[in-house]
Amino acid sequence: MSLRGRRVIVSAGPTFEDLDPVRFIGNRSSGKMGFAVADAAARQGAEVVLVAGPVALPTPANVTRIDVRSAAQMHAAVLAALPADVYIGAAAVADFTPRAVAPGKIKKQAGMDTLVLELVRTPDILAEVAVHPRRPRLVVGFAAETDHVEQYARGKLEKKQLDLIAANRVGVAGSGFESDENALAVYGRDGFERALGPAPKIQLADNLLELISTRLG
Ligand code: C5P
């Protein structure tokens, strides 16, 4: 099965939410899984747009890369890249961002033992793409969980109105965020279920894209 003639948008990596000109709130996503997914889609013949958070990874061959930093920028870049046949949300998007970015470096004062940050919710890019007027035929999410992986993943599948969700356990050695290997459990809203790996992220990405291309028909 080939993805020739299909347009695939992939989001990958973390987002950085700035507090001031020198500090940000980030997360441990390396971007490796999302970049492997973009690479696999391109190798299977798709036209690929990769919306990448701040990561130090080379751009896969035959992939159009759009670099962003914050959840707000990723949101804008993904929506601007529509329409597409497939959207794969592999980014670890910040759920909250500071209400305001301080114009200068936040200074600690004598006697200041605590600092309270006010954070506001970011847009849920994946959930928005799934109900967008230009909704791709397949909307695929990732769920990184430390526990109750299946239960939380299936919950997100329903709540965000996805077609597929690829779940993995994070916080265990040899899988998840910073590793080159991973194991995925893929669930579909139609009851579909498939375990992929443990295997190198490159191979998992190939398997996931084969699965996606079969479902596109
Ligand atoms: O709800 P949770 O963040 O665990 O869901 C993970 C999935 O949702 C991932 O596919 C991620 O890319 C996507 N997501 C998003 N926008 C957010 C938060 C998560 O697209 N603000």
Side-chain angles (χ1 to χ4, degrees), residues 163-174:
D163 300 292
L164 289 175
I165 194 154
N168 67 318
R169 187 183 288 273
V170 291
V172 290

Side-chain angles (χ1 to χ4, degrees), residues 25-45:
I25 298 172
N27 64 68
R28 296 171 73 134
S29 167
S30 65
K32 284 177 188 164
M33 191 68 232
F35 272 58
V37 164
D39 188 16
R43 278 187 285 99
Q44 291 178 34

Side-chain angles (χ1 to χ4, degrees), residues 11 89-91 93-95 122-126 141-143 145 156 160:
S11 69
V93 187
D95 291 321
T122 55
D124 190 317
I125 304 165
L126 184 62
F142 273 77
E145 307 291 348
K156 283 173 197 179
K160 303 196 191 207

